[in-house]
Amino acid sequence: NLLSVGAMLVLAPFISRISVKVGKKEIGAVGTLMAAVFFLLLALLRTRSIPYFMVFLFFGTLGVGMFNIIIWAFITDIIDNQEVTTGRREDGTVYAVYSFARKLGQALAGGVGGFALTAIGYVSDAAVQSGQVAERIYTMATLVPGVCYLLVFLVLQFWYPLSRGKVEENTAKLREKREQV
C-alpha cells in the first residue's frame, strides 16, 4: 500500500499537464499496460528477492496509479460525449452509474479474495501454510492483476472511443453550442 500511495503522490502533480499533451485515454492505456507488464513479469520470474520484487511492484503500482488518477477525468469526457451524442447533459446519471459500478466491483472483490484463498487450499487456522499454498498466493498476487490490467488495457485501446482527438472534437462542439445560446 505504501508503494501504491507513493507512486500516486509522485504522479499527482504532473498528471493534468501530461493529460493535456497526451490524452486521458492514452495515459490510462499506458498505465494499465505498464501495470500488466510488471505484474506479469513478476508472475513469470517468480523472484524470491524482496528488493527485486518491491522494485517491480513499485513500477506496476505506478502504472496502476496513472490509471487510478486519470479515471476520474474520464467521467467528464463521458458526460460531454453523451451531451454531444444525445443533446442532453446528464451529469448525475452518468456519475450514478459509474459510482454504482465501482461499489459493485468493490463488493465483489471483497468476496472473491476469500473464495480464491479457499480455492487454492489456504487454511485460516493453520500456523503455517504449505509451500504449494504460498506459491499459489504468489500467483494470485501477480498473475491475476497482470491479466486483469492487460484486459483493461485492451478495452481502453480498442473499445473505449474517447481518445484525445475525440475529446477535443467534443469540447469544440460544446463550446460552439454554448456560444450560440
Side-chain angles (χ1 to χ4, degrees):
N1 283 336
L2 182 61
L3 286 176
S4 179
V5 171
M8 288 179 69
L9 289 174
V10 167
L11 288 170
F14 309 106
I15 204 79
S16 63
R17 281 183 259 152
I18 296 169
S19 71
V20 169
K21 292 180 182 178
V22 177
K24 296 171 205 133
K25 169 188 173 173
E26 294 78 3
I27 289 173
V30 166
T32 54
L33 181 60
M34 183 176 168
V37 165
F38 280 99
F39 280 105
L40 291 173
L41 281 172
L42 279 171
L44 293 172
L45 296 174
R46 312 287 305 174
T47 184
R48 301 280 183 230
S49 165
I50 292 173
Y52 188 62
F53 185 91
M54 296 303 276
V55 167
F56 273 67
L57 184 63
F58 174 78
F59 286 109
T61 58
L62 190 64
V64 173
M66 289 170 69
F67 179 72
N68 282 341
I69 291 171
I70 207 69
I71 189 74
W72 292 98
F74 282 29
I75 297 170
T76 56
D77 292 345
I78 292 166
I79 291 168
D80 288 348
N81 189 63
Q82 183 191 16
E83 182 178 359
V84 167
T85 305
T86 67
R88 294 187 328 227
R89 187 160 188 94
E90 297 186 63
D91 303 49
T93 302
V94 171
Y95 186 77
V97 169
Y98 174 73
S99 182
F100 176 75
R102 281 184 64 91
K103 288 175 195 286
L104 184 63
Q106 289 168 333
L108 290 173
V112 168
F115 290 125
L117 285 172
T118 301
I120 65 168
Y122 181 85
V123 180
S124 63
D125 60 352
V128 176
Q129 299 298 319
S130 72
Q132 188 178 39
V133 169
E135 286 297 316
R136 290 175 179 167
I137 289 173
Y138 184 98
T139 299
M140 277 182 23
T142 58
L143 183 62
V144 172
V147 169
C148 289
Y149 283 117
L150 182 60
L151 291 173
V152 173
F153 165 76
L154 293 171
V155 166
L156 282 174
Q157 194 66 29
F158 300 109
W159 185 63
Y160 183 73
L162 300 179
S163 65
R164 179 179 176 220
K166 180 65 174 173
V167 168
E168 288 173 351
E169 179 184 318
N170 284 347
T171 301
K173 287 178 181 177
L174 291 174
R175 185 179 309 118
E176 182 181 316
K177 176 183 172 183
R178 287 177 178 77
E179 287 172 356
Q180 292 176 355
V181 175

